[in-house]
């Protein structure tokens, strides 16, 4: 049995990040692989850095109060996500720097850059670890639904990462725009869907919590409190459809327009809240893909940046009209999504991803 070591964004405090890591692991197992997630924890993800790193000073008293509140928030998030990781992922020993990874790399037959925004320079700063620049050069290297996140790279960024990409024997990315970026650099790749879409609905429901809200409800989930009028839009849709407005977030105080606030919930609750919702409003990529995979009516709200991944999956599933800006379009939300053709597209995309991985692993 071949062993695959996967590097990805599993330590981020984000539901989608841990679930895509889980999905990648499970998909590789279906190909007969022994898997492990490389427990890479760069400085920006380490607790000490998260507590003390503040973008600008607001004075000693305010900064100290902020840090105290941040400690509590970080602790709760660690409990939420690390419990899921320990229970569901097979991980290596922790590596807290790229140098540690180079000094004592994991032993494997194949190294895999996993999914999520591992190649987004804004998130990962072109960290060489995510380009598999460690270990024996004779070990096969593949990229599985890696995300760049942007529609283009700066020339300086292309110059830095191009030599790293050369070491890969097979490349797959998560956005169509990433295929174009790599092609411009001279590399062929294939666009496949996020691993969370490659596991089917029934597989996710095995992980999900039971129903948490007894009333019919609209679920609102927004990344980084980036609203862009989403809460007001969600309130109008909920009122129109006679639904409770439930918000899933890390806030401690319920927003005025929200009926029920679900905060610091386990990962399993994320799946449950989407599955049992009657409608979903979100700017989160993974809340969107779970809405599609679980066949929920939804509206996606554009973010201030990194919209290429939203646009790409909606284009692939022919659901482009479900993405909106800050204006409420009642006609779109009144139109019911027919998921029969969407599910056929997902089946085709799963076969495409399976074929890529089978050839990448064994070719």
């Amino acid at each position: 049995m071949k062993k695959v070591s996967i590097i990805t964004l599993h330590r981020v405090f984000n539901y989608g990040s841990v679930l895509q890591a889980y999905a990648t692991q499970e998909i590789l197992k279906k190909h007969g692989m022994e898997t492990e997630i490389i427990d890479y924890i760069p400085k920006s993800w380490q607790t000490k850095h998260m507590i003390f790193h503040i973008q600008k000073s607001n004075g000693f008293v305010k900064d100290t109060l902020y840090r105290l509140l941040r400690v509590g928030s970080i602790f709760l998030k660690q409990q939420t996500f690390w419990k899921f990781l320990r229970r569901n992922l097979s991980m290596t020993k922790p590596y807290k720097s790229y140098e540690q990874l180079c000094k004592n790399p994991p032993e494997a037959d194949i190294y895999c850059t996993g999914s999520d925004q591992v190649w987004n320079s804004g998130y990962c700063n072109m960290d060489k670890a995510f380009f598999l620049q460690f270990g024996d050069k004779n070990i096969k290297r593949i990229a599985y639904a890696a995300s760049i996140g942007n529609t283009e790279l700066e020339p300086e960024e292309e110059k830095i990462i191009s030599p790293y990409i050369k070491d890969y024997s097979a490349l797959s990315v998560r956005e169509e725009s990433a295929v174009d970026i790599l092609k411009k650099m001279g590399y062929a790749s294939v666009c496949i869907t996020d691993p969370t879409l490659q596991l089917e609905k029934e597989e996710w429901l095995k992980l999900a919590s039971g129903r948490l809200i007894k009333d019919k409800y609209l679920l609102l989930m927004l990344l980084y409190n980036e609203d862009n009028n989403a809460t007001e839009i969600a309130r109008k849709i909920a009122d129109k459809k006679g639904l409770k407005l439930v918000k899933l977030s890390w806030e401690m105080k319920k927003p005025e327009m929200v009926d029920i606030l679900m905060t610091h919930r386990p990962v399993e609750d994320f799946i449950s809240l989407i599955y049992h919702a009657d409608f979903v409003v979100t700017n989160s990529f993974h809340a969107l893909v779970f809405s599609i995979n679980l066949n929920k009516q939804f509206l996606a709200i554009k973010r201030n940046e990194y919209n290429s991944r939203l646009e790409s999956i909606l284009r692939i599933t022919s659901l482009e009209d479900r993405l909106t800006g800050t204006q409420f379009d009642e006609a779109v939300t009144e139109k019911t999504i027919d998921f029969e053709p969407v599910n056929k597209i997902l089946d085709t995309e799963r076969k495409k991803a399976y074929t890529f991985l089978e050839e990448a692993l064994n070719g």
Side-chain angles (χ1 to χ4, degrees), residues 19-206:
L19 288 169
Q20 64 78 25
Y22 169 82
T24 299
Q25 170 187 272
E26 296 305 300
I27 290 162
L28 283 164
K29 285 180 180 178
K30 290 184 179 183
H31 287 265
M33 301 290 144
E34 178 186 350
T35 65
E36 65 178 4
I37 303 292
I38 300 172
D39 196 16
Y40 182 54
I41 317 170
K43 183 178 179 180
S44 59
W45 301 351
Q46 293 170 22
T47 303
K48 184 177 179 180
H49 177 82
M50 288 188 287
I51 291 172
F52 290 99
H53 181 68
I54 298 176
Q55 295 295 333
K56 59 182 179 179
S57 177
N58 295 302
F60 177 78
V61 175
K62 288 185 178 180
D63 285 355
T64 300
L65 179 60
Y66 170 79
R67 288 191 180 107
L68 289 173
L69 292 172
R70 193 164 173 78
V71 168
S73 177
I74 289 170
F75 175 76
L76 289 171
K77 289 177 181 177
Q78 286 176 341
Q79 294 303 304
T80 297
F81 292 108
W82 290 1
K83 187 182 293 184
F84 180 86
L85 296 179
R86 288 193 296 268
R87 191 163 53 232
N88 294 287
L89 297 186
S90 173
M91 297 188 290
T92 66
K93 66 179 184 180
Y95 293 93
K96 295 191 175 180
S97 70
Y98 171 65
E99 289 71 27
Q100 285 185 5
L101 202 49
C102 289
K103 187 176 181 180
N104 188 18
E107 295 182 2
D109 301 291
I110 300 168
Y111 286 155
C112 174
T113 295
S115 181
D116 219 341
Q117 298 192 71
V118 283
W119 290 349
N120 185 326
S121 58
Y123 282 172
C124 298
N125 198 29
M126 293 180 287
D127 188 332
K128 290 192 284 186
F130 294 111
F131 292 92
L132 304 176
Q133 296 299 293
F134 56 83
D136 190 328
K137 288 296 182 182
N138 291 318
I139 294 174
K140 180 183 286 188
R141 287 160 167 79
I142 67 172
Y144 186 60
S147 173
I148 293 175
N150 296 301
T151 54
E152 59 183 19
L153 294 177
E154 296 295 329
E156 295 80 7
E157 293 175 329
E158 291 185 9
K159 186 177 180 180
I160 291 170
I161 71 171
S162 184
Y164 305 156
I165 301 293
K166 185 172 64 175
D167 292 335
Y168 287 80
S169 62
L171 294 165
S172 64
V173 288
R174 204 173 64 180
E175 303 98 14
E176 296 157 325
S177 58
V179 173
D180 296 333
I181 290 171
L182 293 176
K183 183 178 181 181
K184 181 182 174 184
M185 295 166 60
Y187 300 108
S189 62
V190 59
C191 180
I192 63 174
T193 53
D194 186 82
T196 58
L197 280 170
Q198 293 169 36
L199 292 185
E200 297 188 37
K201 175 180 177 180
E202 291 72 21
E203 295 174 274
W204 286 120
L205 294 184
K206 292 176 184 177

Side-chain angles (χ1 to χ4, degrees), residues 203-252:
E203 295 174 274
W204 286 120
L205 294 184
K206 292 176 184 177
L207 272 182
S209 307
R211 187 177 181 113
L212 301 168
I213 308 292
K214 66 178 182 179
D215 298 310
K216 291 188 173 184
Y217 64 92
L218 178 151
L219 179 68
L220 172 66
M221 181 182 174
L222 304 174
L223 287 178
Y224 313 120
N225 294 320
E226 196 176 293
D227 193 283
N228 287 346
N229 210 37
T231 303
E232 186 173 335
I233 291 172
R235 182 72 265 172
K236 289 179 179 178
I237 298 171
D239 289 343
K240 180 77 174 178
K241 297 182 178 294
L243 306 173
K244 293 283 188 182
L245 175 50
V246 176
K247 186 175 185 181
L248 174 62
S249 80
W250 301 103
E251 298 168 83
M252 300 303 290

